[in-house]
Amino acid sequence: PAQLDACERLLIYTLVRTISPEVVVEVGTFQGGSASIIHTALESAGRGKLFCIDPKPQLRIDWNKLSNRSTMIEEPSPQA
């Protein structure tokens, strides 16, 4: 459900997979599409944690599938 075209999805996945960061922070998760892409890249890399910040996420994904590497912070970004 990502609101991204195929090239943008591939770019996000490739960046996260190649850099293999310990921590990724996504500000503005909304429906969770890009969070799902980032999570998949972290899983593929075998490391990393995703922190999603959104005061009112409207997820269209199964968050339970991301919860092993992802944490949702439901508050505005300045407070988070």
Side-chain angles (χ1 to χ4, degrees), residues 20-35:
S20 188
E22 289 186 35
V23 174
V24 177
V25 177
E26 178 184 53
V27 177
T29 302
F30 190 46
Q31 295 179 339
S34 56

Side-chain angles (χ1 to χ4, degrees), residues 3-4 12 23-35 38 49-57 59 63 71-80:
Q3 297 178 334
L4 305 166
I12 289 172
V23 174
V24 177
V25 177
E26 178 184 53
V27 177
T29 302
F30 190 46
Q31 295 179 339
S34 56
I38 294 167
K49 180 82 174 160
L50 170 62
F51 293 91
C52 298
I53 301 170
D54 196 304
K56 295 179 184 175
L59 300 176
W63 186 258
T71 300
M72 176 63 72
I73 300 169
E74 292 189 38
E75 56 185 73
S77 58
Q79 286 78 13

Side-chain angles (χ1 to χ4, degrees), residues 30-44:
F30 190 46
Q31 295 179 339
S34 56
S36 181
I37 294 166
I38 294 167
H39 176 268
T40 300
L42 293 173
E43 283 286 286
S44 180

Side-chain angles (χ1 to χ4, degrees), residues 55-68:
K56 295 179 184 175
Q58 299 174 23
L59 300 176
R60 293 181 53 202
I61 59 169
D62 181 358
W63 186 258
N64 292 325
K65 293 181 179 179
L66 280 64
S67 63
N68 65 318

